[in-house]
Amino acid sequence: AVVAELERLRCNACGHIVRAQAPEGFTPARYDESVPATVALMKYGAGLPFYRFARLTRNLGLPLAASTQWDLIRKVAPRLDPVMEELIRWAAQAEVIHNDDTTMKLLDRPDLKLNPKERKGIYTSGLLARIRAEGQPRAVALFRTGNRHAGENLEELLKQRGADLGPPIQMCDALAANTKGDFQTILGHCLAHARRRFVEVIEDFPTESKHLLEVLGEVYRVDRECQELPPEERLARHQAESGSRMTELKAWMTAQIQERKVEPNSTLGEAISFMHKHWSRLTLFLRVAGAPLDNNICERALKMAI
């Protein structure tokens, strides 16, 4: 970037101010149009907070305060509305949609003083849709910040879904907020969330936890090997190689509880109970072509907002 500081001289006799002419190539605007574009890409494309970018620009001799960055982006943001609307339209037609929430912090909510009964929590919902554009797999990531949960934002998105399309596959964790709303989906739950419960108790129950993690490790190995296959072929591969492993795993977990090898109220017992409760949705990938194993891609996308 190049900064031009234009001198202004005032006549002591009459008060007239003479302003220096801008160098050739400079626009009359205070900031070139590339500045808000760069700031927006750094903030929303690279996840660099305003205050960190302000520190960087100051160190480079190009001071750009956080408040100035916000003002620049706020003025140009409406120009991107057509792009956002098109991305929303594409996402609504997707075969697979991931969704999840993360909490956000606000310094003040003046509207709550007018309506104390309104929901107080503020969330950023991530909606990540897997689509195909020109025959190539693509992902559309949408973010919504407000007092609506991920399920309610998904409901709003699906209002733009084509009437001739069936319900999409929805991948999320087992929180009720992800499915709250009036919409229909083929629901799958995140296998990584269930796996994480056993990782957390591996020090207390090393043998049992290691067995489950090894089984799921083989399932994920199969999934990695058939990522490039068409959905139907991937489904057939999982049914052939992962189906028996998951069936044996379920029988093993049932035996742990029924044969009193594990205390049901222990942390391991609770982890097993969670998998039993959500088993059908955790194993959607064994019955529906294109169903993912987990919601990791959406959680990674939400790290941008975090």
Side-chain angles (χ1 to χ4, degrees), residues 215 218-220 222 234-251 279 283 285-287:
V215 173
E218 286 299 304
V219 173
Y220 270 89
V222 172
R234 173 178 171 269
L235 173 63
R237 178 83 179 270
H238 268 303
Q239 289 175 337
E241 298 187 33
S242 303
S244 58
R245 291 189 174 99
M246 295 302 287
T247 300
E248 292 171 4
L249 181 61
K250 185 179 182 181
W279 185 259
T283 56
F285 68 95
L286 294 174
R287 301 186 303 278

Side-chain angles (χ1 to χ4, degrees), residues 4 7 22 50 80 83 86 92 94 99 108 114 122 149 159 168 178 215 275 289:
E7 288 187 338
F50 287 143
L80 293 178
V83 179
E86 184 67 3
N99 70 326
D108 194 15
L114 301 176
I122 294 294
H149 287 295
K159 289 179 180 178
N178 292 324
V215 173
M275 284 202 72

